[in-house]
């Protein structure tokens, strides 16, 4: 097929420069690389592969660890409870949807929860990848499908030695890994370790989660990049603060030596005075670092009668005038807020200082939810466009786009049963509640009721077991005739004015 097509000039077009256009790709993403690693950062600490170590150091910080841990907790809950759903009436679509959910429940060597943990390492490193491993399907329930997902094998970001691209440098075609370590050396004999590092893991063999990938970069951008400077400043100030405390508590070691000994030591490095000064300085340094608890000095004193000061003297000098008046706590708190704000997790710090309120907490929690929803959409798009499509291809499943099962993550927060039940009551009172089993079961579940005893009932039996609220209760009176804009009185009835019925 030709890579060019003819163009018919539209009436509104005034361009006559070209009557043909190339349909294929012409440009390139212009990615810069060093040793096959994409270089998208000017700072060396954040440039791959050095950034992997930097991120691990940042993770050890209490504030960074709290921000990452909060994000991981929310996303792990949503991802671990995710499932494939479909609204299609096509029986093949429903069958394939059940098969996908069955695969996630029957992984080998690692569970779906463990897979979620490994996928979410992109929050720290900027990217993560898991290898897709398949095996023949021997299930009698889903015998129609040839291949099943055996496991989503975790792979370390540190294991990558090289990214592979096509000839034009536009698309990632695979990667190479370093030779694995001999974990069972000396315990297992007769089985040679596979050290073939030349084998390329092709792109269709692994799922790649590259967060905020720019220009098709496979390494993505770690959320920690945004708070790197705040973390460096925070750790520096904390280090200076600890040093200042140690000097304030222990004092600074001060040695007093006669001037003539100092002058002799400066003139002749081979003199005894020089050796004595070197020994004193070494002992003072060890004492200041806490590696030595004593200092050996001569007992000679000044003056002929032996009542003068010691020739060699030692003292601990404290900080005069109270030191600097700068508050390190305020500076550190500002850096903490900057780090937490990078993850939209500022609500974690509420209550740790003098400010805070319920309304502020709600606003910050809502902001964090937006951050998490963006991550949920990202994970959903990767699994939907990679794993689901490949499962369809290897099992020869042909479905229309609207019939393909969708990977749906669970909600970040549970529904408030009290508010939800009030909403359900209003729908039922006004006759807007659909009398369908699936809908009613969902309503009862969200209201906090155990519906296991109702699952075997048919829709007719379930509806028959439900009492008509207008027969035995006046729950609908306030809605039907008591509203100020309705047909009843302006004040309504007792049900309408009941504060407990207001959400």
């Amino acid at each position: 097929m030709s890579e060019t097509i003819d163009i018919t000039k539209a009436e509104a077009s005034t361009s006559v420069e070209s009557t043909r256009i190339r349909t294929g790709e012409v440009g390139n993403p212009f990615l810069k690389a060093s040793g096959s690693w994409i270089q998208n950062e000017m700072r060396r600490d954040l440039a791959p592969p050095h950034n992997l170590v930097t991120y691990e150091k940042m993770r050890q910080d209490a504030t960074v660890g709290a921000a990452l841990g909060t994000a991981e907790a929310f996303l792990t809950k949503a991802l671990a409870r995710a499932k494939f759903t479909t609204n299609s009436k096509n029986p093949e679509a429903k069958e394939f949807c059940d098969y996908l959910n069955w695969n996630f429940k029957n992984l080998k060597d690692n569970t779906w929860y463990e897979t979620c943990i490994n996928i979410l390492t992109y929050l720290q490193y900027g990217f993560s990848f898991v290898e897709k491993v398949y095996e023949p399907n021997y299930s009698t329930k889903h015998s129609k499908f040839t291949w099943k997902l055996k496991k989503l094998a975790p792979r370390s970001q540190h294991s990558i030695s090289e990214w592979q691209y096509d000839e034009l440098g536009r698309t990632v075609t695979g990667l190479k890994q370093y030779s694995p370590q001999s974990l069972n050396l000396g315990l297992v004999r007769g089985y040679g370790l596979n050290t073939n590092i030349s084998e390329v893991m092709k792109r269709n063999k692994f799922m790649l989660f590259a967060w905020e990938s720019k220009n098709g970069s496979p390494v993505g951008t770690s959320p920690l990049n945004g708070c790197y400077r705040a973390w460096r400043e925070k750790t520096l100030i904390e280090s200076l603060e600890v040093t200042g405390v140690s000097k304030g508590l222990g004092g600074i070691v001060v040695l007093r030596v006669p001037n003539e000994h100092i002058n002799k030591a400066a003139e002749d490095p081979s003199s005894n005075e020089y050796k004595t000064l070197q020994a004193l300085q070494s002992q003072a340094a060890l004492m200041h670092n806490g590696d030595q608890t004593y200092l050996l000095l001569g007992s000679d004193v000044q003056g002929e009668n032996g009542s003068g000061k010691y020739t060699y003297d030692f003292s601990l000098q404290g900080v005069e005038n109270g030191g600097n008046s700068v508050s390190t706590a305020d500076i550190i708190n500002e850096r903490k807020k900057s780090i937490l704000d990078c993850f939209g997790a500022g609500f974690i710090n509420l209550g740790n200082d003098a400010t805070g309120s319920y309304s502020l907490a709600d606003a910050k929690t809502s902001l964090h939810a937006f951050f998490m929803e963006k991550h949920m959409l990202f994970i959903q798009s990767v699994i939907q466009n990679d794993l689901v499509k490949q499962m369809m291809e290897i099992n020869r499943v042909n479905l229309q786009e609207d019939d393909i099962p969708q990977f749906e993550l669970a909600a970040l927060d549970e529904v408030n049963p009290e508010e939800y039940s009030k909403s359900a009551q209003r729908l039922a009172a006004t006759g807007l509640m659909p009398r369908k089993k699936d809908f009613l079961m969902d309503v009862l579940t969200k209201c906090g009721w155990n519906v296991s005893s109702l699952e075997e009932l048919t829709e007719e039996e379930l509806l028959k077991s439900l009492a008509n609220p207008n027969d035995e209760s006046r729950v609908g009176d306030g809605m039907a005739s008591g509203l100020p804009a309705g047909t009843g009185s302006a004040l309504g009835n007792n049900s309408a004015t009941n504060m407990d019925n207001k959400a």
Side-chain angles (χ1 to χ4, degrees), residues 443-460:
V443 170
L444 293 174
T445 301
K446 291 180 178 178
C447 288
W449 296 98
N450 185 355
V451 296
S452 58
S453 60
L454 305 177
E455 291 179 352
E456 297 181 358
L457 298 178
T458 63
E459 184 170 300
E460 293 182 358

mmCIF file of all heavy atoms in Angstrom, residues 443-460:
data_model
loop_
_atom_site.group_PDB
_atom_site.id
_atom_site.type_symbol
_atom_site.label_atom_id
_atom_site.label_comp_id
_atom_site.label_asym_id
_atom_site.label_seq_id
_atom_site.Cartn_x
_atom_site.Cartn_y
_atom_site.Cartn_z
ATOM 1 N N VAL A 443 -28.249 -1.262 46.447
ATOM 2 C CA VAL A 443 -28.661 -0.251 47.428
ATOM 3 C C VAL A 443 -28.533 -0.800 48.841
ATOM 4 O O VAL A 443 -27.993 -0.144 49.741
ATOM 5 C CB VAL A 443 -30.105 0.208 47.153
ATOM 6 C CG1 VAL A 443 -30.621 1.071 48.297
ATOM 7 C CG2 VAL A 443 -30.176 0.975 45.845
ATOM 8 N N LEU A 444 -29.005 -2.011 49.054
ATOM 9 C CA LEU A 444 -28.948 -2.613 50.387
ATOM 10 C C LEU A 444 -27.509 -2.845 50.839
ATOM 11 O O LEU A 444 -27.174 -2.676 52.009
ATOM 12 C CB LEU A 444 -29.722 -3.937 50.396
ATOM 13 C CG LEU A 444 -31.239 -3.825 50.196
ATOM 14 C CD1 LEU A 444 -31.874 -5.210 50.082
ATOM 15 C CD2 LEU A 444 -31.874 -3.049 51.334
ATOM 16 N N THR A 445 -26.651 -3.226 49.890
ATOM 17 C CA THR A 445 -25.244 -3.462 50.229
ATOM 18 C C THR A 445 -24.567 -2.170 50.652
ATOM 19 O O THR A 445 -23.824 -2.130 51.637
ATOM 20 C CB THR A 445 -24.500 -4.073 49.026
ATOM 21 O OG1 THR A 445 -25.121 -5.313 48.662
ATOM 22 C CG2 THR A 445 -23.032 -4.325 49.366
ATOM 23 N N LYS A 446 -24.823 -1.090 49.908
ATOM 24 C CA LYS A 446 -24.203 0.187 50.237
ATOM 25 C C LYS A 446 -24.763 0.780 51.526
ATOM 26 O O LYS A 446 -24.107 1.612 52.155
ATOM 27 C CB LYS A 446 -24.391 1.170 49.079
ATOM 28 C CG LYS A 446 -23.583 0.799 47.837
ATOM 29 C CD LYS A 446 -23.791 1.774 46.707
ATOM 30 C CE LYS A 446 -22.926 1.401 45.509
ATOM 31 N NZ LYS A 446 -23.139 2.320 44.354
ATOM 32 N N CYS A 447 -25.957 0.364 51.905
ATOM 33 C CA CYS A 447 -26.518 0.823 53.176
ATOM 34 C C CYS A 447 -25.953 0.031 54.357
ATOM 35 O O CYS A 447 -26.296 0.317 55.507
ATOM 36 C CB CYS A 447 -28.037 0.717 53.159
ATOM 37 S SG CYS A 447 -28.835 1.945 52.089
ATOM 38 N N GLY A 448 -25.124 -0.959 54.070
ATOM 39 C CA GLY A 448 -24.471 -1.701 55.134
ATOM 40 C C GLY A 448 -25.145 -2.996 55.527
ATOM 41 O O GLY A 448 -24.778 -3.606 56.538
ATOM 42 N N TRP A 449 -26.114 -3.471 54.734
ATOM 43 C CA TRP A 449 -26.826 -4.686 55.083
ATOM 44 C C TRP A 449 -26.170 -5.907 54.452
ATOM 45 O O TRP A 449 -25.616 -5.838 53.358
ATOM 46 C CB TRP A 449 -28.285 -4.600 54.613
ATOM 47 C CG TRP A 449 -29.064 -3.525 55.302
ATOM 48 C CD1 TRP A 449 -29.322 -2.273 54.833
ATOM 49 C CD2 TRP A 449 -29.659 -3.594 56.590
ATOM 50 N NE1 TRP A 449 -30.037 -1.540 55.739
ATOM 51 C CE2 TRP A 449 -30.270 -2.336 56.847
ATOM 52 C CE3 TRP A 449 -29.758 -4.578 57.566
ATOM 53 C CZ2 TRP A 449 -30.947 -2.061 58.017
ATOM 54 C CZ3 TRP A 449 -30.435 -4.305 58.732
ATOM 55 C CH2 TRP A 449 -31.024 -3.056 58.952
ATOM 56 N N ASN A 450 -26.280 -7.042 55.123
ATOM 57 C CA ASN A 450 -25.785 -8.321 54.607
ATOM 58 C C ASN A 450 -26.880 -8.934 53.740
ATOM 59 O O ASN A 450 -27.951 -9.303 54.233
ATOM 60 C CB ASN A 450 -25.426 -9.261 55.765
ATOM 61 C CG ASN A 450 -24.788 -10.554 55.277
ATOM 62 O OD1 ASN A 450 -24.692 -10.807 54.088
ATOM 63 N ND2 ASN A 450 -24.351 -11.376 56.220
ATOM 64 N N VAL A 451 -26.621 -9.057 52.435
ATOM 65 C CA VAL A 451 -27.646 -9.515 51.488
ATOM 66 C C VAL A 451 -27.397 -10.939 51.014
ATOM 67 O O VAL A 451 -27.974 -11.375 50.016
ATOM 68 C CB VAL A 451 -27.701 -8.555 50.271
ATOM 69 C CG1 VAL A 451 -28.128 -7.165 50.689
ATOM 70 C CG2 VAL A 451 -26.347 -8.512 49.556
ATOM 71 N N SER A 452 -26.531 -11.668 51.713
ATOM 72 C CA SER A 452 -26.213 -13.033 51.281
ATOM 73 C C SER A 452 -27.453 -13.927 51.269
ATOM 74 O O SER A 452 -27.579 -14.826 50.430
ATOM 75 C CB SER A 452 -25.135 -13.640 52.182
ATOM 76 O OG SER A 452 -25.554 -13.644 53.542
ATOM 77 N N SER A 453 -28.394 -13.683 52.190
ATOM 78 C CA SER A 453 -29.603 -14.512 52.248
ATOM 79 C C SER A 453 -30.579 -14.191 51.126
ATOM 80 O O SER A 453 -31.539 -14.949 50.903
ATOM 81 C CB SER A 453 -30.296 -14.328 53.601
ATOM 82 O OG SER A 453 -30.671 -12.971 53.791
ATOM 83 N N LEU A 454 -30.382 -13.086 50.414
ATOM 84 C CA LEU A 454 -31.294 -12.686 49.348
ATOM 85 C C LEU A 454 -30.780 -13.023 47.963
ATOM 86 O O LEU A 454 -31.508 -12.855 46.982
ATOM 87 C CB LEU A 454 -31.555 -11.174 49.420
ATOM 88 C CG LEU A 454 -32.070 -10.621 50.750
ATOM 89 C CD1 LEU A 454 -32.191 -9.102 50.665
ATOM 90 C CD2 LEU A 454 -33.400 -11.247 51.113
ATOM 91 N N GLU A 455 -29.541 -13.501 47.867
ATOM 92 C CA GLU A 455 -28.930 -13.715 46.555
ATOM 93 C C GLU A 455 -29.617 -14.829 45.769
ATOM 94 O O GLU A 455 -29.692 -14.776 44.541
ATOM 95 C CB GLU A 455 -27.439 -14.032 46.728
ATOM 96 C CG GLU A 455 -26.628 -12.844 47.225
ATOM 97 C CD GLU A 455 -25.169 -13.191 47.418
ATOM 98 O OE1 GLU A 455 -24.838 -14.390 47.305
ATOM 99 O OE2 GLU A 455 -24.368 -12.272 47.689
ATOM 100 N N GLU A 456 -30.131 -15.862 46.464
ATOM 101 C CA GLU A 456 -30.757 -16.983 45.763
ATOM 102 C C GLU A 456 -32.198 -16.700 45.374
ATOM 103 O O GLU A 456 -32.802 -17.474 44.632
ATOM 104 C CB GLU A 456 -30.698 -18.232 46.649
ATOM 105 C CG GLU A 456 -29.269 -18.697 46.943
ATOM 106 C CD GLU A 456 -29.243 -19.948 47.795
ATOM 107 O OE1 GLU A 456 -30.348 -20.412 48.187
ATOM 108 O OE2 GLU A 456 -28.133 -20.465 48.062
ATOM 109 N N LEU A 457 -32.761 -15.636 45.845
ATOM 110 C CA LEU A 457 -34.138 -15.295 45.492
ATOM 111 C C LEU A 457 -34.224 -14.784 44.067
ATOM 112 O O LEU A 457 -33.312 -14.095 43.585
ATOM 113 C CB LEU A 457 -34.693 -14.233 46.448
ATOM 114 C CG LEU A 457 -34.803 -14.602 47.940
ATOM 115 C CD1 LEU A 457 -35.328 -13.404 48.716
ATOM 116 C CD2 LEU A 457 -35.709 -15.811 48.129
ATOM 117 N N THR A 458 -35.296 -15.106 43.391
ATOM 118 C CA THR A 458 -35.530 -14.542 42.073
ATOM 119 C C THR A 458 -35.994 -13.105 42.241
ATOM 120 O O THR A 458 -36.312 -12.650 43.348
ATOM 121 C CB THR A 458 -36.589 -15.350 41.310
ATOM 122 O OG1 THR A 458 -37.841 -15.264 42.013
ATOM 123 C CG2 THR A 458 -36.168 -16.817 41.190
ATOM 124 N N GLU A 459 -36.067 -12.388 41.115
ATOM 125 C CA GLU A 459 -36.487 -10.997 41.190
ATOM 126 C C GLU A 459 -37.926 -10.888 41.687
ATOM 127 O O GLU A 459 -38.250 -10.002 42.480
ATOM 128 C CB GLU A 459 -36.335 -10.351 39.818
ATOM 129 C CG GLU A 459 -36.651 -8.867 39.819
ATOM 130 C CD GLU A 459 -36.260 -8.189 38.523
ATOM 131 O OE1 GLU A 459 -35.052 -8.221 38.169
ATOM 132 O OE2 GLU A 459 -37.150 -7.645 37.862
ATOM 133 N N GLU A 460 -38.795 -11.799 41.246
ATOM 134 C CA GLU A 460 -40.192 -11.756 41.681
ATOM 135 C C GLU A 460 -40.302 -12.034 43.176
ATOM 136 O O GLU A 460 -41.076 -11.390 43.887
ATOM 137 C CB GLU A 460 -41.005 -12.773 40.880
ATOM 138 C CG GLU A 460 -41.118 -12.420 39.399
ATOM 139 C CD GLU A 460 -41.965 -13.434 38.655
ATOM 140 O OE1 GLU A 460 -42.416 -14.408 39.301
ATOM 141 O OE2 GLU A 460 -42.165 -13.261 37.447
#
